[in-house]
Amino acid sequence: LSRGYVNLLNTKKITDTKFPFPFVNLISLMFLLEMFLMPLMMASIVDHAVWAPICCFLPLFGLFALNFISGELENPFGVDPNDLPILEFQKEMNLCLLMLLHPNADLI
């Protein structure tokens, strides 16, 4: 019973602790700057016309993918396919609590 309460408090910590709003704005601004400045830099650095878009696309794709993954990790509770199965966790916790009501639960 105490482990369940501790785990409940841990999940409340995850949901209550939000990412600082100014930091999110700064990251978004940096992504926009990089999205506009990276093609200009790659056009001046890379000599071949085929390599410039490739060298520009791959790092930007990786950074945007990391940004979207961090958005999913920030709030892991909900009904999205990548969210934690809270209903299954609750059913398992309820079954464990019902097992304590069994008459032989206190026998070794």
Side-chain angles (χ1 to χ4, degrees):
L1 190 59
S2 67
R3 291 173 119 194
Y5 189 67
V6 168
N7 289 331
L8 174 71
L9 291 178
N10 286 337
T11 56
K12 285 181 89 171
K13 275 194 267 185
I14 291 172
T15 57
D16 293 343
T17 305
K18 298 293 181 192
F19 208 64
F21 185 69
F23 194 65
V24 172
N25 284 341
L26 181 66
I27 289 174
S28 300
L29 178 69
M30 291 298 188
F31 278 151
L32 285 175
L33 282 174
E34 186 172 7
M35 194 168 60
F36 289 118
L37 293 178
M38 176 87 87
L40 298 174
M41 291 187 336
M42 283 299 153
S44 66
I45 293 173
V46 179
D47 295 331
H48 204 280
V50 176
W51 285 107
I54 293 172
C55 292
C56 187
F57 172 75
L58 289 177
L60 285 174
F61 178 76
L63 286 175
F64 275 98
L66 281 175
N67 189 31
F68 288 126
I69 289 171
S70 67
E72 280 292 320
L73 290 177
E74 186 178 354
N75 188 9
F77 308 113
V79 293
D80 293 338
N82 290 330
D83 289 336
L84 293 173
I86 297 299
L87 291 175
E88 284 81 16
F89 291 163
Q90 184 64 46
K91 287 177 187 175
E92 183 180 342
M93 181 68 182
N94 289 342
L95 287 175
C96 291
L97 290 174
L98 284 174
M99 198 168 50
L100 290 175
L101 294 175
H102 195 274
N104 294 332
D106 59 345
L107 297 177
I108 294 177

